[in-house]
Amino acid sequence: MPSDWLGLPDIIAVLDDQRSVSDLRRYLTPGAFTGSHFEALGAASNALHRDVVAAEDLIAVQLLEARAPAAVALDLIQGDLGQRISDELRKIPLAVSLSDDTARLYIEDDGPADRAWHLLTEQRGVKKAVAGKLLARKRPKLIPVYDNVVACALRGRPGFWLWLHELLRTDDLCLTHRLRNLRDQADVPAQVSDIRIFDIVFWMRHRRNHLRRRCPGL
């Protein structure tokens, strides 16, 4: 693991803080944050189009304050780019979680999720956070939502997917169990994945301080 990531004891301390339950409840309260609709938007349609990028997916990404350029959006919905992304998504089981031992097969370099991410980021105007959020929408248990606020809170560097995968599996899945305890305490809806709970907690904890100049991280 990169030595400059926030360490596991510090991460556990944030999750165990009493504010985490209230932050989760507040974030997921309808109308409080647009991102609370990220998973639920067009749920029936998304189930039918599990391997296809649809208009609802692009709108869902906008709910997380990210946007694909219009030309890229059209290519994803009705062009060659969308077909190429679908080809990669079909290689990734919907049920696989980032905490599973087999997850590495899909997120490692030249794995199908990595190839899909590169296909997206190679498009003009598509930022890394947009690519990640779009893939998180299609494979919410495997691909974490990751943006500048979360990266800053975790003192992150490239390699976040693999780093979090390793962290979720270390010490007999202690981090995974912490996230599931938070799910129960905060009554988190079933469609919200464990790794989404992770990003919400850190985003909520750090978002205001992140606006400060030269933010030092969490």
Side-chain angles (χ1 to χ4, degrees):
M1 290 185 186
S3 59
D4 46 4
W5 290 98
L6 200 65
L8 180 59
D10 295 320
I11 288 172
I12 293 296
V14 171
L15 296 177
D16 285 350
D17 189 296
Q18 61 183 358
R19 289 173 290 178
S20 295
V21 172
S22 59
D23 281 347
L24 277 167
R25 287 175 175 163
R26 187 155 62 95
Y27 183 90
L28 294 169
T29 298
F33 294 89
T34 58
S36 66
H37 301 280
F38 179 69
E39 291 80 12
L41 181 69
S45 175
N46 196 40
L48 291 172
H49 301 97
R50 52 181 287 180
D51 301 326
V52 177
V53 177
E56 289 92 341
D57 299 316
L58 297 169
I59 296 171
V61 168
Q62 291 184 36
L63 297 177
L64 296 181
E65 301 180 357
R67 182 187 297 269
V72 176
L74 286 172
D75 201 2
L76 283 166
I77 293 174
Q78 59 186 28
D80 179 67
L81 179 60
Q83 183 59 57
R84 295 170 73 190
I85 295 295
S86 292
D87 290 344
E88 300 300 340
L89 288 173
R90 291 189 187 97
K91 300 168 187 174
I92 307 173
L94 189 64
V96 66
S97 297
L98 191 58
S99 60
D100 294 344
D101 182 48
T102 56
R104 174 176 285 273
L105 298 174
Y106 306 105
I107 62 172
E108 64 186 357
D109 289 351
D110 205 35
D114 179 68
R115 289 194 296 268
W117 185 85
H118 281 287
L119 281 171
L120 289 166
T121 56
E122 287 167 2
Q123 308 304 309
R124 177 174 293 183
V126 176
K127 297 180 179 180
K128 295 177 181 179
V130 174
K133 289 172 181 178
L134 185 58
L135 293 175
R137 166 77 176 177
K138 302 312 298 181
R139 291 296 183 270
K141 295 181 179 181
L142 177 68
I143 306 299
V145 171
Y146 188 58
D147 62 12
N148 288 336
V149 177
V150 177
C152 184
L154 296 169
R155 304 171 195 163
R157 297 293 185 272
F160 177 69
W161 295 356
L162 284 169
W163 171 80
L164 185 55
H165 165 68
E166 293 175 14
L167 200 68
L168 288 165
R169 294 196 55 76
T170 196
D171 291 350
D172 295 323
L173 305 178
C174 72
L175 177 57
T176 301
H177 295 314
R178 282 298 205 298
L179 294 171
R180 291 175 182 173
N181 286 337
L182 277 174
R183 172 187 300 282
D184 294 337
Q185 293 177 56
D187 297 318
V188 175
Q191 71 264 26
V192 177
S193 67
D194 294 341
I195 53 177
R196 181 78 168 112
I197 292 172
F198 181 90
D199 97 75
I200 291 172
V201 167
F202 279 90
W203 188 85
M204 288 289 286
R205 189 67 51 83
H206 191 55
R207 65 189 180 93
R208 289 182 177 172
N209 285 337
H210 187 71
L211 297 176
R212 290 163 32 194
R213 189 176 182 183
R214 297 181 181 177
C215 175
L218 192 63

